[in-house]
Amino acid sequence: MEEKDIRGLISQVKDGSMDRRAFVRTMVGLGLTAPMATMMLLHSGVAMSQVKSTYSATKRGGGGPLKVLWWQGATLLNPHFAVGTKDQDGSRVFYEPLAGWDNEGNLIPILASEIPSRENGGLAADGMSVVWKIKPNVRWHDGKPLTADDLVFNWEYARDPATASVTVGSYKDVEVEKIDNLSVRVKFKKPTPFWADAFVGVRGMLIPKHLFGEYMGAKSRDAPNNLKPVGTGPYKFVDFKPGDLVKGEINMDYHMPNRPFFDTIEIKGGGDAVSAARAVIQTAEYDFGWNIQVEEEVLARLERGGKGKAVVTPGGNIEFILLNNTDPWTEVDGERSSMKTKHPLLSDPAVRKAMALLVDKKSIEQHIYGRAGIATGNFLNSPPRFNSKNTVWEFDIEKAKKLLDDAGWKPGADGVREKGGKKLKMVYQTSINSPRQKTQAIVKQACQRAGIDLELKSITASVFFSSDVANPDTYTKFYCDIEMYTTTMTEPDPGLFMNQYCSWEVATKENKWQGRNICRWVNKEYDDLYRASEGELDPVKRASMFIRMNDLPCGDPTIIPVMFRPRVSVNVDNLVPFLSGWDIDMGSIQEWYRKA
């Protein structure tokens, strides 16, 4: 579809001859996400549709305790350092962004008084800036007012390289200026199609200047409030035991009417996904269970005659295998998996391609994941029409053997292939949960038949996903050959999701392993495409850029996509959670309530 055709459709929406839903469906058919189509309408002066909340409480509080299970317990409560979903969700109870996302891709105002648009003057016609207005009379939990100075501070804090924040990508290439006490202007270096990044969603949670101002840059990790949050959210901090428990109590000065419903919240960490599902569905000891990565057979058995149910929320999450591009066994300047090294085995393309042929995705889907996973060859999967048609995947042990034979990797006396004095022996790690260990076993068995010896390593989830820079077993350090986990798509545009393979996002000692490029893969074409996509306003051209970006690491392969994973959670029958596949589960905790 040409640009003039798209503009014609937008004109039809403006004059009422075409409804918003029909326009969004058309754009999704072209490969956009629904939220990107919404962004196009906002840029063109079409107001955003009103989000309908199901919230029914008529007063603040009175709902008693809310008890939820995050079987990976939060390890810190500063959203700028939250490398995993568990830390993001733990932080979100107390901290809030200007806006979030609902499940249809609409922006929801949270701390913002309104969503910026051409109609209200918030969006510049040239795509070079956006103005955000803060609600009046919002207060931090200690009573201090939230102002534009806090927004400017969060921008300065996150973009400072010495802070080593995981949110740096959302703030380092923009300028934020104070307009007045309750509004700021975010300025872009070039026309920006997806402007709802800084201050929005999971990477937009705001911390107070008056408590963190003295802890910018190199002192950022020393702030006492990294573990004792003071935010604007629906709950105030009570207690935190890293890896175990987060407790909050109702914020009676909360800025949204009649919210929150619950008087207290308790996020319990630890354990595993199966015990979490059982504690919600079977015993109702807890109200909600997060990220239930459980075999379909087990989940269905728990649901029969239980007190709760599983909820499947579509999104963009992907379970995948990473192949290390660096040497995890050689230390350079106090750092393993250093960019100054190359992997002794996986630097051979034949070994990487053989590994991709030895992952039996169909069996993993059928016998482990069921409704919770779809076998895929793509890293970027959502929406369906955004999928690359160029990638292929297959399970073929004989073809893998031939690749290795042709590359000179010959079986030794013990059956393990070797070449130039190096044996094809590697360590394959992931976090502890049953589907992942079963997936590891399936991959190991196929590799063994092909002459590759895999040592399986399973790490407690709270350790594997820890933000502790001193911990050698975190997934970001990647001190092994191969690893596997799920990466979450926490906003509906693929820009942030796909920066995981940009060269400037490599996780290193210098950035305290906070970079998002965990496999240390560097490709100039990818970098150039990503930079070009940041300023490409033509939605069709931009979509084709992301499809090509998907194809590069998948085709290398430096990653092996395994399962496209809709988010699966469980809740008791009388709980009404507000969940979005484009945000974290706690993204709208203020909307949760219990049916009478």
Side-chain angles (χ1 to χ4, degrees), residues 25-95:
R25 283 197 299 270
T26 302
M27 293 300 101
V28 168
L30 293 175
L32 275 71
T33 61
M36 277 301 295
T38 299
M39 297 263 104
M40 292 170 63
L41 293 176
L42 283 172
H43 267 301
S44 302
V46 181
M48 180 168 285
S49 60
Q50 294 298 309
V51 178
K52 294 181 180 178
S53 172
T54 61
Y55 192 82
S56 62
T58 57
K59 67 171 185 174
R60 193 187 312 281
L66 175 66
K67 298 177 67 178
V68 299
L69 272 174
W70 257 244
W71 51 272
Q72 294 172 14
T75 54
L76 53 74
L77 297 176
N78 181 332
H80 290 291
F81 300 143
V83 296
T85 310
K86 60 183 176 44
D87 295 327
Q88 294 165 350
D89 276 307
S91 298
R92 183 59 184 81
V93 171
F94 310 107
Y95 293 116

Side-chain angles (χ1 to χ4, degrees), residues 51 55 95 164 182 193 198 241 265 327 346 358 368-369 441 478 512 525 541:
V51 178
Y55 192 82
Y95 293 116
L182 291 177
K241 294 180 175 62
I265 184 169
D327 186 349
L346 292 167
L358 296 170
I368 300 176
Y369 280 88
F478 202 175
K512 298 182 174 69
E525 182 185 355
K541 287 181 181 177

Side-chain angles (χ1 to χ4, degrees), residues 8-19:
L9 294 179
I10 292 173
S11 296
Q12 292 179 40
V13 178
K14 281 184 174 181
D15 66 24
S17 59
M18 182 181 197
D19 66 29

Side-chain angles (χ1 to χ4, degrees), residues 298-567:
V298 174
L299 192 57
R301 187 171 66 246
L302 289 173
E303 285 181 304
R304 288 193 290 270
K307 301 175 182 178
K309 59 185 179 295
V311 178
V312 178
T313 306
N317 300 351
I318 178 78
E319 178 88 0
F320 68 125
I321 293 170
L322 296 85
L323 307 179
N324 201 334
N325 282 261
T326 57
D327 186 349
W329 312 112
T330 298
E331 187 173 299
V332 179
D333 300 327
E335 177 182 15
R336 288 159 55 188
S337 291
S338 165
M339 288 299 291
K340 297 176 182 177
T341 65
K342 287 187 177 180
H343 197 281
L345 307 176
L346 292 167
S347 56
D348 185 338
V351 177
R352 299 197 301 273
K353 290 175 182 176
M355 284 299 306
L357 289 165
L358 296 170
V359 180
D360 188 355
K361 302 178 188 181
K362 187 54 66 176
S363 290
I364 294 168
E365 176 191 297
Q366 292 176 345
H367 301 298
I368 300 176
Y369 280 88
R371 71 187 117 159
I374 302 163
T376 182
N378 288 321
F379 183 76
L380 178 61
N381 288 276
S382 184
R385 293 297 296 273
F386 221 114
N387 287 355
S388 171
K389 304 299 186 293
N390 308 316
T391 57
V392 294
W393 62 269
E394 58 182 325
F395 173 62
D396 194 324
I397 295 175
E398 294 306 314
K399 187 179 286 190
K401 286 180 178 180
K402 186 174 189 311
L403 269 174
L404 295 170
D405 283 336
D406 293 347
W409 293 95
K410 303 302 181 184
D414 58 358
V416 179
R417 292 177 181 269
E418 55 186 87
K419 176 183 176 181
K422 299 175 183 175
K423 280 188 168 290
L424 273 183
K425 289 188 173 185
M426 293 181 283
V427 176
Y428 170 20
Q429 74 178 17
T430 189
S431 64
I432 294 175
N433 76 41
S434 181
R436 287 195 173 132
Q437 271 66 76
K438 290 187 175 181
T439 299
Q440 279 183 307
I442 288 172
V443 176
K444 178 181 173 70
Q445 185 179 49
C447 285
Q448 194 168 24
R449 290 171 60 189
I452 300 173
D453 183 19
L454 292 186
E455 176 188 335
L456 304 185
K457 182 178 180 180
S458 301
I459 303 167
T460 302
S462 60
V463 174
F464 188 64
F465 295 107
S466 171
S467 305
D468 180 5
V469 296
N471 178 358
D473 284 326
T474 63
Y475 77 103
T476 58
K477 284 192 173 174
F478 202 175
Y479 285 176
C480 71
D481 306 291
I482 302 167
E483 72 178 5
M484 178 176 66
Y485 59 91
T486 286
T487 190
T488 55
M489 194 170 177
T490 54
E491 65 181 28
D493 179 76
L496 173 62
F497 188 67
M498 296 300 284
N499 82 352
Q500 296 182 60
Y501 304 105
C502 293
S503 62
W504 53 88
E505 282 289 336
V506 169
T508 65
K509 179 182 178 182
E510 185 179 4
N511 61 30
K512 298 182 174 69
W513 296 278
Q514 300 294 293
R516 303 182 73 231
N517 184 341
I518 309 302
C519 56
R520 280 77 161 164
W521 179 76
V522 174
N523 181 283
K524 185 178 184 302
E525 182 185 355
Y526 192 99
D527 285 352
D528 292 345
L529 277 167
Y530 189 88
R531 287 301 192 200
S533 74
E534 291 180 303
E536 181 54 69
L537 296 179
D538 183 321
V540 179
K541 287 181 181 177
R542 191 166 183 265
S544 68
M545 289 176 178
F546 281 111
I547 288 173
R548 177 59 181 161
M549 279 186 263
N550 171 86
D551 295 348
L552 285 169
C554 293
D556 181 77
T558 193
I559 57 168
I560 305 170
V562 181
M563 289 290 119
F564 172 41
R565 287 187 57 201
R567 190 179 299 166

